[in-house]
Amino acid sequence: MKHDPAAYAAADMAHVWHHLVQHQALAGKGPMIVVEGEGLKLRDINGKEYLDATSGGVWCVNVGYGRERIAKAVYEQLRAMPYYAATAGNIPYIEFARKLVSHMPGLSRVYLSNSGSEANEKAYKMIRALAHISGNTTKKKILFRARDYHGTTLGALSSTGQAERKEWFGPFVPGFVEFPHACCYRCAFGKTYPGCDLDCVKAVDRIIREEGPETVGGLIVEPITAGGGVIPPVAEYYTELAAVCRNHGVLLIMDEVVCGMGRTGTMLGYQHYGVTPDIVTMAKGVASAYMPISVTVTTEDLFTSFLHDPGDKLAYFRDISTYGGCAAGCSAALENMAIIEEENLLDNVRAMGDYLLAGLKELGKLPYVGDVRGKGLLCGVELVEDKASRKPLPEGKVIQVVGEMAANGVLVGRTNRSLPGHNNIINIAPAYVVTRDDIDVILRALRAAMTKVLG
Ligand code: PLP
């Protein structure tokens, strides 16, 4: 089979079950089979080259492909000590935890797992356990926001505000309550910022009161909704939201699975907004997906709550993820952070993010571009049938635009069966090493594809 693309394609079609793909769509053309990459360049098994403006499909390979120093660090750690459960410490874990929290004032404890979903599950379990430790055993509900995604496992999916991702997978875990999204372009209250008085935050206060503050333990948000349509809330949204949480003794969880580790131009997405969460979860960008690793980072206060012994039960966090003890994940994460720092990549994220957003806003003059949103290198283009009605372009058309770009060698993402009737956003999130020339290529390809498909 070696070096025989057709044989690999046939074996893929025979045995591989792809994520998020309707396999009927592969009939005739076969799957894309990727073999190597360097920077933003990705090559498939047929030698076709792509400029990857998705960072690995789902906002992951932030420092770009082909980073030998990460591969070497992983190799060396695997030789020295591949694994011992995280019941023990290991050198890269300790170094990584210390380095990570140095970027997160107010937080100090790092709990390891392997995926974004798991990191969020840990946060929920901490809050549920805390309810017992603090003596208020009902304070367990978690609020989540419409359009946000928090993962694939049933707890994380139960707390996800995307109906199409949830369809067929119920019944869901009890104890999760949805509140309205913060997308101004489609304001849930039909208002216009700044005259809206932040009704979207007021709704949270109302819901907590209705549920009973004594039953609500936490609230989870993506700092900038990613897969649900790239939605950066307005500047004062999070200070207001954090105040509501504080008033009701509700812990604020920031799901930084996409934004974390620099994607939006600050190390953490919430750092744009002047708030300090109680719990932060991160995954994809932690090691730029060179290794699977995720973290749940907490305040010292939360951690020390687990040192007390409420009666006859020991109050430690009775939880483990076996592979959270894979030391080489932390080695990869350390190298990833070193690359970001040494190459001043956050400066590039901010500069290139501004350049990309300005270019997309130019495209905003086209009749079917309804809205352009983003921060740093996390950008979205919302396509509509016409600007006046804002009627979302059907998902099929968006798929055609993205497919046309891929055929021309540029990979971009899109909302994928997430929100009924609103899978009309194209996502652009290249690696942090992106240049102006790369962005020009992306913008030209997007304009050409939209013109061809939409006229
Ligand atoms: N949280 C957010 C914001 C995500 O975008 C994702 C995945 O896309 C997750 C959580 C779940 O992460 P994972 O797929 O690693 O479980």
Side-chain angles (χ1 to χ4, degrees):
M1 191 154 78
K2 210 156 192 267
H3 306 306
D4 181 350
Y8 274 109
D12 181 297
M13 292 296 277
H15 303 295
V16 173
W17 193 336
H18 289 275
H19 293 188
L20 271 182
V21 165
Q22 165 53 269
H23 274 237
Q24 281 185 27
L26 302 178
K29 63 176 177 143
M32 177 167 85
I33 300 172
V34 289
V35 289
E36 59 188 352
E38 187 70 36
L40 275 80
K41 289 277 185 296
L42 191 62
R43 213 179 334 272
D44 76 9
I45 197 165
N46 298 308
K48 182 176 167 80
E49 208 170 78
Y50 298 90
L51 192 163
D52 178 10
T54 68
S55 300
V58 286
W59 305 288
C60 280
V61 191
N62 292 348
V63 296
Y65 298 107
R67 291 289 189 168
E68 211 169 325
R69 63 186 277 189
I70 301 183
K72 274 200 179 126
V74 168
Y75 169 81
E76 277 159 20
Q77 185 57 43
L78 291 178
R79 287 298 307 251
M81 203 291 293
Y83 178 80
Y84 192 91
T87 49
N90 63 63
I91 302 301
Y93 185 3
I94 296 163
E95 287 183 3
F96 170 59
R98 190 169 56 172
K99 191 173 170 108
L100 179 62
V101 296
S102 75
H103 289 277
M104 305 173 74
L107 294 114
S108 60
R109 292 282 165 176
V110 179
Y111 194 89
L112 282 182
S113 54
N114 310 105
S115 69
S117 308
E118 251 190 302
N120 288 331
E121 299 280 358
K122 307 299 182 198
Y124 304 156
K125 287 175 79 176
M126 286 171 185
I127 285 174
R128 287 186 171 197
L130 194 64
H132 290 271
I133 289 168
S134 64
N136 185 354
T137 52
T138 61
K139 208 163 171 60
K140 287 190 168 184
K141 286 182 197 159
I142 309 280
L143 266 52
F144 65 95
R145 191 170 58 193
R147 300 187 70 146
D148 280 2
Y149 180 73
H150 297 299
T152 181
T153 50
L154 278 171
L157 195 61
S158 300
S159 63
T160 282
Q162 301 180 357
E164 283 185 355
R165 282 295 168 88
K166 297 170 89 160
E167 202 177 3
W168 298 348
F169 296 127
F172 292 104
V173 179
F176 294 99
V177 180
E178 186 173 298
F179 66 88
H181 64 72
C183 180
C184 293
Y185 183 66
R186 298 197 181 274
C187 177
F189 303 91
K191 297 206 171 160
T192 306
Y193 179 78
C196 58
D197 214 14
L198 289 195
D199 277 359
C200 50
V201 177
K202 290 216 177 79
V204 178
D205 185 63
R206 195 181 58 246
I207 290 168
I208 294 176
R209 288 176 198 279
E210 281 166 8
E211 294 289 329
E214 72 287 357
T215 71
V216 183
L219 177 148
I220 186 164
V221 279
E222 296 181 62
I224 294 173
T225 305
V230 186
I231 307 166
V234 297
E236 65 274 38
Y237 177 84
Y238 281 119
T239 42
E240 300 283 318
L241 188 68
V244 169
C245 288
R246 230 180 2 260
N247 284 344
H248 294 298
V250 170
L251 297 185
L252 177 60
I253 311 166
M254 282 283 176
D255 176 341
E256 294 267 356
V257 168
V258 171
C259 297
M261 216 58 99
R263 170 60 54 197
T264 66
T266 49
M267 210 53 161
L268 286 305
Y270 67 78
Q271 289 168 346
H272 289 286
Y273 291 93
V275 288
T276 304
D278 301 286
I279 305 179
V280 175
T281 58
M282 304 168 73
K284 299 172 188 278
V286 170
S288 283
Y290 277 75
M291 291 289 281
I293 174 173
S294 66
V295 293
T296 307
V297 187
T298 78
T299 58
E300 197 63 13
D301 260 10
L302 196 154
F303 173 79
T304 51
S305 303
F306 283 84
L307 299 179
H308 306 306
D309 184 351
D312 59 348
K313 292 192 183 126
L314 287 177
Y316 65 91
F317 188 45
R318 289 187 295 280
D319 176 88
I320 180 171
S321 281
T322 299
Y323 296 130
C326 285
C330 288
S331 307
L334 273 167
E335 284 304 312
N336 185 63
M337 287 184 88
I339 290 169
I340 292 172
E341 285 169 354
E342 287 166 26
E343 298 181 13
N344 294 318
L345 289 184
L346 292 193
D347 290 345
N348 200 53
V349 171
R350 284 190 290 270
M352 292 303 105
D354 288 349
Y355 184 67
L356 174 59
L357 202 59
L360 293 173
K361 290 217 156 119
E362 267 304 300
L363 294 183
K365 293 174 184 156
L366 294 169
Y368 32 74
V369 177
D371 197 23
V372 168
R373 306 185 282 265
K375 241 189 216 327
L377 288 172
L378 178 60
C379 291
V381 179
E382 174 148 5
L383 301 180
V384 291
E385 296 209 335
D386 66 85
K387 282 184 197 286
S389 73
R390 298 191 178 184
K391 189 165 176 227
L393 202 71
E395 187 167 2
K397 288 273 184 215
V398 182
I399 292 172
Q400 277 181 43
V401 173
V402 171
E404 178 65 21
M405 289 183 76
N408 292 323
V410 177
L411 301 175
V412 295
R414 64 180 176 85
T415 36
N416 191 328
R417 285 292 154 94
S418 307
L419 309 150
H422 286 86
N423 293 299
N424 60 326
I425 295 113
I426 289 181
N427 307 326
I428 303 174
Y432 302 171
V433 289
V434 70
T435 63
R436 286 170 85 97
D437 286 348
D438 294 326
I439 290 173
D440 290 341
V441 170
I442 297 165
L443 292 169
R444 271 199 304 273
L446 179 57
R447 181 185 286 275
M450 289 195 298
T451 307
K452 180 162 176 195
V453 174
L454 307 173

